[in-house]
Amino acid sequence: MRTALAYNSAGTSEKQLPAFEKDVLEGLKEVPKRLHSKYFYDAKGDALFQQIMHCPEYYLTRCEMEILRGQAGEIAQTLRQHAPVFDLVELGAGDASKSFHLLKELLRTGAMDTYFPIDISRNIIAQLQQSLPAKLPGLTVQGLNGEYMEMLQAAQRFTGRPKLVMFMGSSIGNFTPAEAVQFCTRLRQQLQPGDLLMIGFDLRKNPQTILDAYNDKAGITRAFNLNLLERINRELDGDFDLSQFEHFPIYDPLTGSCRSFLISLKEQAVHISGQTIRFAANEPLFMEISQKYTVEEINELASRSGFRPVEFFYDSKRWFTDVLWQCR
């Protein structure tokens, strides 16, 4: 992100613009151009990601679901050894289909009764507040719509209990390794010694298996990426021609970095909120990263950000792990 002020055609500082507009304009003026993956999740983006999770190539959801469905009792027992009672805060809760199994077990054992799902999608929060109490009688759902750190601070006002924070689905992979250290350090600063963090990591594996997960044959991931351009058109008076951008994912097995781009198929100018953004032919627009980890890299991340690893929970293929950390 640039530190200098940028100005639109009317002379107004972009820092005064709404966050979505400001981030889009700043990102498209960077070199190389980029968009923020957190903005994928409007109502259509939510629906497309639900389809991605059911794609045969997208193993991540199945692996983590296997862990949480099959090991919920073991995870709950491990949690209670470190915090007999706590409130559960989930960052980027989504539809809670995976965390549901752990919520059910924790509610049954009396370890928790209040769930704070945090999500940037207002649509998702509304769905969770309506559906979960009906499925899990006795569960109190206090949904928080907004950015992770801001909403985590808001959750502190509701409860003084110890906390279990969940950050699942390999969401940590949406940061570069350096950004992951910064994020986890900020997260640690919001918590108290002894609080717990359960965090999902996609592990390094056969490169083709990883690449296929971000380039499904049905083209749903392609549609998911292009939907952000459609959202910009709708909400920011943009005029992206979606047919002139091609979805292009790459995976580097040396660094564990899987990156997705949209490639401009021709030299073109795009107008957004009255401003002109020019693309060269074959110019990449960086959309998202999905970082893959080794166990050693996970332990190093914990150490550098103020946590200590407690336990690793793996799927049967050892393709994915949900790791329990505790605040030092």
Side-chain angles (χ1 to χ4, degrees):
M1 187 70 68
R2 298 176 304 161
T3 56
L5 285 172
Y7 293 87
N8 64 21
S9 57
T12 302
S13 166
E14 285 182 5
K15 288 192 174 182
Q16 297 172 353
L17 298 173
F20 179 43
E21 184 177 19
K22 171 180 172 290
D23 287 347
V24 165
L25 290 172
E26 286 189 348
L28 290 176
K29 292 175 182 178
E30 290 182 12
V31 180
K33 292 180 175 67
R34 63 168 294 179
L35 290 172
H36 292 270
S37 59
K38 65 183 179 181
Y39 293 120
F40 282 136
Y41 300 95
D42 61 354
K44 183 177 178 181
D46 290 338
L48 284 168
F49 190 68
Q50 293 301 312
Q51 294 180 49
I52 288 171
M53 290 195 297
H54 291 93
C55 287
E57 299 94 337
Y58 196 78
Y59 60 84
L60 292 86
T61 301
R62 293 191 298 275
C63 290
E64 192 170 38
M65 182 68 82
E66 178 190 326
I67 294 169
L68 292 170
R69 182 188 288 128
Q71 302 177 55
E74 182 182 348
I75 295 170
Q77 184 178 11
T78 302
L79 290 168
R80 298 201 71 181
Q81 290 172 359
H82 297 276
V85 293
F86 49 83
D87 287 323
L88 196 158
V89 181
E90 183 168 10
L91 309 181
D95 66 355
S97 59
K98 291 174 293 185
S99 49
F100 175 86
H101 301 283
L102 185 57
L103 285 168
K104 182 178 180 180
E105 181 66 18
L106 293 172
L107 192 63
R108 184 189 68 80
T109 60
M112 56 80 70
D113 58 15
T114 305
Y115 173 52
F116 295 89
I118 297 174
D119 205 284
I120 198 169
S121 169
R122 186 176 290 107
N123 176 56
I124 285 291
I125 292 298
Q127 290 180 20
L128 292 177
Q129 291 193 142
Q130 181 176 9
S131 64
L132 276 181
K135 296 176 181 176
L136 296 172
L139 179 68
T140 299
V141 178
Q142 178 64 60
L144 298 168
N145 172 227
E147 301 282 352
Y148 292 154
M149 299 303 168
E150 181 182 346
M151 292 300 102
L152 188 55
Q153 287 181 342
Q156 308 277 21
R157 297 196 290 268
F158 289 97
T159 173
R161 280 184 173 183
K163 292 178 183 59
L164 165 64
V165 176
M166 295 176 64
F167 193 44
M168 313 299 280
S170 189
S171 295
I172 191 66
N174 294 138
F175 301 107
T176 66
E179 290 169 343
V181 172
Q182 295 173 359
F183 176 82
C184 291
T185 299
R186 290 182 63 203
L187 186 55
R188 172 63 187 87
Q189 292 168 352
Q190 300 294 328
L191 301 174
Q192 301 298 318
D195 282 349
L196 299 165
L197 171 64
M198 177 162 279
I199 184 166
F201 289 91
D202 192 18
L203 298 171
R204 298 201 195 191
K205 58 186 68 64
N206 183 281
Q208 192 63 53
T209 299
I210 292 172
L211 189 57
D212 289 348
Y214 299 89
N215 198 26
D216 60 277
K217 292 179 181 178
I220 300 171
T221 306
R222 173 184 178 276
F224 180 66
N225 278 262
L226 288 170
N227 178 63
L228 181 47
L229 304 190
E230 188 176 332
R231 180 181 180 183
I232 292 170
N233 285 351
R234 183 177 64 254
E235 297 184 21
L236 302 181
D237 195 26
D239 61 359
F240 276 104
D241 181 348
L242 274 61
S243 70
Q244 295 303 317
F245 288 86
E246 182 177 67
H247 172 59
F248 184 72
I250 59 172
Y251 176 63
D252 180 359
L254 294 177
T255 64
S257 174
C258 188
R259 295 174 182 264
S260 293
F261 299 87
L262 291 176
I263 307 297
S264 175
L265 297 180
K266 67 176 184 178
E267 184 178 337
Q268 55 186 308
V270 176
H271 304 94
I272 301 167
S273 298
Q275 299 197 40
T276 300
I277 306 295
R278 299 189 182 280
F279 287 84
N282 302 311
E283 182 178 356
L285 170 57
F286 175 50
M287 300 298 287
E288 66 172 335
I289 183 173
S290 186
Q291 184 69 32
K292 312 307 175 184
Y293 282 83
T294 65
V295 169
E296 292 76 18
E297 289 168 339
I298 293 170
N299 287 336
E300 181 182 359
L301 176 58
S303 177
R304 292 182 63 187
S305 53
F307 295 90
R308 68 175 187 88
V310 173
E311 189 68 68
F312 284 73
F313 300 94
Y314 297 95
D315 68 291
S316 57
K317 294 181 179 179
R318 297 181 78 88
W319 281 4
F320 196 96
T321 183
D322 285 323
V323 186
L324 182 63
W325 291 351
Q326 188 167 37
C327 295
R328 295 202 307 258

